């Protein structure tokens, strides 16, 4: 009789633990998959080709932080404009239009020698952006002293 | 069988009470990590709604209506907060990374509960041509961004130090005490 009780108790504990794991697991799965940030890319957001080249005027208002970051960055100072990396929304540019361009291809179009050299020394990270912020790679001030790559090298 | 029903009812009651009790702004700000977020909210354009009522954390950070999504997000964020509060280190409070997570869980329905007409400003005037283009692509009428409100409208209620240099945030930043002084 006692054995049966013990066995029954164990079963209950197992059941509760299993339910908790299933509940927790499903919540974790749901939050990781069902709620995601960017779901699809902008296919084309302007009808007129004339407007397409002048991204900055519009994006200073619609994405002001990205526009200001770019304006103050090395790419902004050197006038490496949006379409050099992102292409043109109407698809007429020499590269494909993309809100999130493939860094391994796009960055290498200009920075191939440096990328190859750094790859030999430190290996390749998945995203150039992890260390070199695309829109805020500034000419000077504290950006150089606090980049992720510097931190890793100091340690 | 009766025991199971009683246990289930008690569990539902306890959960309902816990959901209610942990949904107030005072509860959120009872942990010291959240104090600066509360201070920022107080000075932000989202401090009060149109009826001059203070806006609670959960009005933006949790879905607007009760359902599976609400339960899932509430549980996930709550457990994460407790774990980080108890076992977390300084790296867990790197705000540039926190922003990305927080924005993911801001449900568009929560924003649109107050901001009903996307083609009008809060002052009931028509929005700019750029805003109209952006909102049209949000609605899928002209291309498709599908980014969600909070992925374009940054710093509407909170403003970390590193975001204060932006021209667009100048008004908000001017009202705030510096992050080092008691935030």
């Amino acid at each position: 009789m006692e054995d049966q009780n013990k066995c029954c108790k164990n079963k209950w504990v197992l059941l509760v633990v299993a339910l908790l794991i299933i509940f927790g697991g499903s919540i974790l799965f749901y939050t990781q998959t069902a709620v995601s940030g960017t779901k699809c890319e902008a296919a084309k957001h302007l009808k007129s080709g004339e407007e397409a080249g002048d991204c900055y005027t519009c994006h200073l208002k619609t994405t002001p932080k990205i526009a200001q970051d770019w304006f103050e960055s090395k790419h902004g100072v050197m006038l490496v404009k949006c379409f050099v990396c992102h292409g043109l929304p109407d698809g007429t540019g020499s590269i494909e239009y993309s809100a999130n361009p493939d860094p391994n291809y796009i960055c290498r179009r200009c920075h191939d020698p440096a990328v190859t050299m750094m790859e030999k020394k430190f290996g390749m990270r998945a995203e150039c952006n992890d260390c070199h912020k695309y829109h805020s790679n500034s000419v000077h001030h504290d950006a150089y002293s606090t980049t992720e790559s510097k931190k890793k090298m100091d340690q | 069988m009766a025991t199971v029903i009683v246990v289930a009812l008690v569990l539902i009651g306890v959960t309902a009470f816990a959901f209610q009790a942990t949904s107030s702004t005072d509860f959120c700000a009872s942990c010291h990590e959240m104090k600066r977020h509360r201070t920022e909210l107080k000075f932000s354009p989202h401090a009060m709604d149109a009826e001059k009522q203070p806006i609670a954390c959960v009005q933006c950070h949790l879905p607007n209506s009760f359902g599976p999504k609400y339960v899932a997000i509430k549980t996930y964020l709550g457990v994460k907060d407790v774990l980080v509060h108890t076992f977390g280190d300084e790296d867990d409070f790197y705000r540039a990374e926190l922003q990305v997570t927080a924005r993911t869980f801001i449900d568009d329905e929560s924003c649109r509960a107050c901001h009903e007409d996307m083609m009008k400003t809060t002052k009931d005037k028509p929005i700019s041509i750029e805003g109209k283009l952006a909102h049209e692509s949000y609605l899928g009428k002209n291309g498709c961004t599908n980014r969600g409100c909070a992925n374009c409208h940054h710093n509407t209620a909170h403003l970390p130090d590193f975001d204060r240099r932006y021209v667009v945030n100048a008004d908000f930043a001017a009202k705030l005490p510096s992050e080092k002084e008691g935030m």
Side-chain angles (χ1 to χ4, degrees):
Chain A
M1 193 66 194
E2 247 177 48
D3 270 6
Q4 223 176 358
N5 262 345
K6 212 177 178 186
C7 162
C8 225
K9 225 180 189 176
N10 277 345
K11 260 186 198 163
W12 274 107
V13 172
L14 268 179
L15 188 73
V16 169
V17 169
L19 278 177
L20 272 178
I21 289 175
I22 291 170
F23 183 66
S26 51
I27 282 178
L28 196 66
F29 179 75
Y30 179 85
T31 47
Q32 295 305 313
T33 52
V35 189
S36 67
T38 310
K39 288 154 206 149
C40 77
E41 295 232 325
K44 54 174 193 279
H45 65 299
L46 286 177
K47 279 167 201 143
S48 151
E50 286 160 29
E51 288 170 304
D54 189 15
C55 318
Y56 185 72
T57 326
C58 239
H59 275 271
L60 190 58
K61 291 187 177 171
T62 52
T63 57
K65 287 166 75 179
I66 295 175
Q68 190 180 336
D69 273 345
W70 170 82
F71 188 82
E72 293 168 355
S73 76
K74 265 198 223 178
H75 282 154
V77 172
M78 303 297 285
L79 275 184
V80 181
K81 288 191 167 187
C82 314
F83 59 80
V84 177
C85 305
H86 291 286
L88 287 170
D90 59 2
T92 54
S94 61
I95 53 165
E96 206 185 323
Y97 173 70
S98 170
N100 301 305
D102 173 21
N104 203 23
Y105 170 64
I106 295 296
C107 301
R108 274 181 191 273
R109 292 179 85 223
C110 300
H111 299 288
D112 189 46
V115 173
T116 313
M117 192 183 77
M118 294 298 273
E119 198 181 351
K120 267 186 204 147
K121 271 189 177 171
F122 304 108
M124 192 69 164
R125 302 260 183 96
E127 288 280 337
C128 306
N129 191 35
D130 288 348
C131 304
H132 312 279
K133 300 290 176 202
Y134 299 137
H135 293 119
S136 46
N137 228 345
S138 47
V139 180
H140 34 63
H141 66 78
D142 60 349
Y144 274 121
S145 55
T146 53
T147 52
E148 287 298 312
S149 54
K150 274 272 165 60
K151 265 193 242 164
K152 296 276 146 41
M153 269 190 269
D154 287 340
Q155 279 162 10
Chain B
M1 195 61 206
T3 349
V4 174
I5 294 172
V6 169
V7 167
L9 279 176
V10 167
L11 273 180
I12 290 171
V14 167
T15 315
F17 174 76
F19 272 17
Q20 192 109 61
T22 57
S23 285
S24 71
T25 303
D26 283 331
F27 178 80
C28 299
S30 61
C31 285
H32 64 277
E33 298 95 334
M34 293 295 174
K35 294 268 191 303
R36 59 179 174 184
H37 299 277
R38 191 185 196 173
T39 313
E40 286 167 8
L41 176 68
K42 210 165 68 191
F43 292 104
S44 83
H46 275 94
M48 305 273 180
D49 63 14
E51 276 90 48
K52 299 284 171 210
Q53 293 299 310
I55 297 175
C57 311
V58 289
Q59 274 178 270
C60 303
H61 288 281
L62 287 182
N64 199 31
S65 53
F66 188 81
K69 196 177 185 182
Y70 181 94
V71 176
I73 293 181
K74 171 116 183 135
T75 313
Y76 178 79
L77 292 179
V79 170
K80 183 208 70 177
D81 284 352
V82 169
L83 287 179
V84 170
H85 178 80
T86 323
F87 305 108
D89 53 29
E90 236 172 72
D91 284 351
D92 293 321
F93 297 99
Y94 181 49
R95 289 191 72 182
E97 275 169 22
L98 290 180
Q99 284 181 326
V100 180
T101 331
R103 280 170 198 150
T104 314
F105 292 108
I106 300 222
D107 198 48
D108 287 6
E109 292 307 316
S110 310
C111 309
R112 293 174 75 175
C114 299
H115 301 277
E116 285 162 357
D117 191 347
M118 269 194 282
M119 296 299 164
K120 292 227 175 89
T121 67
T122 43
K123 306 256 160 29
D124 217 28
K125 290 193 181 111
I127 56 170
S128 65
I129 181 74
E130 292 85 4
K132 197 167 156 281
L133 276 169
H135 282 176
E136 273 177 1
S137 74
Y138 167 81
L139 293 167
K141 279 182 200 159
N142 184 13
C144 171
T145 58
N146 254 344
R147 286 167 65 111
C149 305
N151 276 315
C152 281
H153 296 275
H154 294 175
N155 307 120
T156 52
H158 307 289
L159 192 60
D161 247 350
F162 54 81
D163 274 344
R164 292 183 194 180
R165 65 181 187 86
Y166 292 103
V167 177
V168 70
N169 292 334
D171 290 344
F172 189 176
K175 291 181 201 159
L176 283 170
S178 107
E179 213 171 75
K180 277 159 202 138
E181 298 167 19
M183 284 205 74

